[in-house]
Structure formats: structure tokens, C-alpha cells
Amino acid sequence: MQEPMTADWHRALDNALQAAELHGFHVIPLTVRKLPAIRSPHDKGHGCKGECGQLGHGIHDASSDPARIRAMFETARHATGYGIACGRPPHHLIGLDLDRKNGVNGVWELRKLAAQHDISVPRTVVISTPTGGFHAWWTGPADVKVPNRAGHLAPGIDVRGSGGYLVGPGSRSIRGLYALASLDDEVIVRPVPAKLLQLMTAGKDRPARPPMTDAKLHRADGGRLLVGLVQFVLDSAQGQRNDRLFWASCKAFEHAAAGRLDADAAAAALMRAAAVVGLPDSEAAATIGSARGEVLGAVK
């Protein structure tokens, strides 16, 4: 039975089509948790980026073709938003996610960074997020690959570059609606300042990740499948941890539903990984429980 098409689904599809047709953006449908809405047709560890011809390859599915966009949304009738791929021609979009929560203000951090490096930050397209933050969009040069990074420029500032995506205005997440914050006469994506681009692409050593000490983790049912999902959580940067934990948990419970993993063992392993990256037990348990309900709750 197909899921009903909600007002959020219609709005997300309409806005995605408009973003593609008017601006040439490449888009994908997103869930209420801001994740790609079409599940992968492959097992974890595959190297397919869409060559198989099926949908479900995340950002690799992104397209500006109206027919393909409609097909993706028809497949994902639970979608409540859309993502815009960064780094794709013609705009080579770059985004700054400016968080304002947990005592960190990414807007002020960007202002301090600009003053410190004598960067003139032009007015550009700005999207307001449901948690009080903002996404600032810029165009980038075609010959520069901007990596996705969390907290690299300053606390509360995440960079969305090649292989990443920005949540489009009109999308609804669990926290609320993403909306255009720019004035009508400022809805133009400006080129990224050269000095800011240099900072985005500059190298920076990553702190060593504390090792997992529980050997039982690697002996849990599922073998490499579970180890890969645990490693995905362990590689989380600040600001990514909860989203990565939810994605990994959903995949683990999908494998459990197919008989390839033990659900309880997977949940325990992911809880340990969440503790290593600093997520509170209560938050991790809620995220894993939500994923379990979403995947296994519908399994008869």
C-alpha cells in the first residue's frame, strides 16, 4: 500500500521542481529527519553510485530533470523536504551551516572570522533553520573541490561542499520549517569570497578518535555489516553525530528485518559507539529507539 501524499510532500515536490527549473539546482527528496528519502537497493559496503539504474543512492541521485525529480518523489511519498546538491554545475554551490544552539552562535563566529581575516562577506541567499540558525549559500569555482567539514572554520560553522547537500527552503523537518530569510531583492547566490574559500579548503589535522575497547563489539552478530555501521558513527564530527547514529541504526534494523543482524546486538553496539563520540546515553537511546520503531515497527 502506498503512503498518502501529504501537504508537506506536495510543497516539497513543488519547491524542488522550482529549484531545478528556475535555478538549475540538482535535488533529491528528504525525510523529516533531513536524510535521503529513498532507501538503498544495496547492502552496506557497496560501491554503486547509481550505475545500477535504480534509485536509492543518496546525493548521487540528485537531478535537475523534472521527470526524474517527479519519479523520485513518487518513490518517496513520505518525503517532507528536498536537498540541493552542492558542488554541481552550473553553480557549484557551497553552503555554510551557522548553528545557534547549545551556547554556540555560528553567526557571530562567522563575523569574528571575517574580521580576523579581513574578509568582506557579501549578502547572498540565506535560509533560516527551525532551530534558529541559518544556511548561507555561495557559488564556487568549477575547479575547486570544497570538502564537507564540521567546525573546521570555527565552532558552530559547518561547511557543505562537494558530495554534500543543503536543505531547501519549504522543507519540513522534525523541528519545523526551513524558510527563505533573504529579502526579495537579495535572492541571488553570490560568489564565495576568495579568502573564505581558502579557509574552507585549507588542511587541518583531525584529532585522533578514542579507540573502541570493547572487543565484543567486533564479535557481535552481523560481522562486517555491523562493524561498518559502527565505524560510520565513530567517524562522526560535531554536529553530525545524531544524524549519523540515526542513519546507521535504520540500516542496522533493515538488516535485522532481513535476518542478517541481531537487532538487540546491533542496538547495543551502536549505543557503545555513540558513547565514544560523546552522545549522552539518553539521547542515543532515543535516536536508536526512533530508528527501530520506524524500520521494525512496520515489519509484520
Side-chain angles (χ1 to χ4, degrees):
M1 180 178 177
Q2 288 184 317
E3 297 184 49
M5 294 178 289
T6 66
D8 287 332
W9 182 92
H10 282 289
R11 179 175 57 242
L13 172 58
D14 289 344
N15 286 328
L17 287 170
Q18 185 178 48
E21 292 172 358
L22 296 183
H23 306 291
F25 292 138
H26 294 241
V27 301
I28 55 170
L30 298 180
T31 69
V32 73
R33 289 187 176 274
K34 304 177 293 182
L35 297 173
I38 303 175
R39 292 179 180 174
S40 173
H42 308 293
D43 288 337
K44 178 69 177 178
H46 69 88
C48 182
K49 297 181 179 179
E51 296 89 349
C52 67
Q54 301 180 77
L55 296 174
H57 299 84
I59 197 62
H60 300 294
D61 288 345
S63 176
S64 60
D65 176 56
R68 183 170 173 84
I69 294 168
R70 290 183 184 277
M72 285 191 286
F73 273 86
E74 285 295 332
T75 301
R77 297 197 175 200
H78 59 291
T80 62
Y82 64 105
I84 299 176
C86 295
R88 298 279 189 94
H91 304 289
H92 304 283
L93 194 64
I94 302 166
L96 285 189
D97 183 353
L98 308 174
D99 279 335
R100 293 202 301 178
K101 57 187 177 183
N102 301 325
V104 176
N105 189 326
V107 175
W108 282 108
E109 292 293 340
L110 178 59
R111 290 175 179 173
K112 287 162 53 179
L113 187 75
Q116 179 182 355
H117 294 275
D118 192 26
I119 300 172
S120 177
V121 180
R123 290 184 178 273
T124 190
V125 168
V126 175
I127 308 300
S128 62
T129 75
T131 55
F134 297 95
H135 292 171
W137 298 6
W138 282 284
T139 62
D143 59 346
V144 177
K145 184 176 181 179
V146 176
N148 293 280
R149 285 169 162 171
H152 171 74
L153 294 177
I157 302 179
D158 294 347
V159 180
R160 300 285 183 261
S162 299
Y165 59 87
L166 291 160
V167 180
S171 297
R172 183 174 297 280
S173 73
I174 288 177
R175 298 292 185 87
L177 201 64
Y178 285 72
L180 183 67
S182 307
L183 299 176
D184 289 342
D185 60 350
E186 295 174 351
V187 186
I188 300 174
V189 185
R190 305 289 184 182
V192 64
K195 290 183 180 179
L196 184 58
L197 180 64
Q198 290 174 1
L199 294 176
M200 290 178 180
T201 55
K204 182 178 181 180
D205 294 333
R206 293 183 62 181
R209 177 69 66 192
M212 292 293 287
T213 58
D214 190 347
K216 293 181 180 179
L217 174 63
H218 297 280
R219 297 199 300 270
D221 291 344
R224 292 183 179 179
L225 283 176
L226 184 54
V227 171
L229 293 174
V230 165
Q231 191 61 52
F232 182 76
V233 176
L234 292 177
D235 288 339
S236 303
Q238 187 78 20
Q240 298 178 328
R241 298 173 301 178
N242 202 55
D243 284 347
R244 279 182 167 243
L245 177 62
F246 182 79
W247 184 91
S249 299
C250 284
K251 296 301 294 184
F253 293 130
E254 287 174 13
H255 289 308
R260 293 186 290 267
L261 276 179
D262 177 80
D264 292 335
L270 290 169
M271 277 292 295
R272 295 187 186 101
V276 169
V277 297
L279 275 179
D281 286 348
S282 58
E283 183 177 348
T287 297
I288 294 171
S290 178
R292 188 170 193 154
E294 180 168 314
V295 177
L296 298 183
V299 176
K300 304 300 183 182

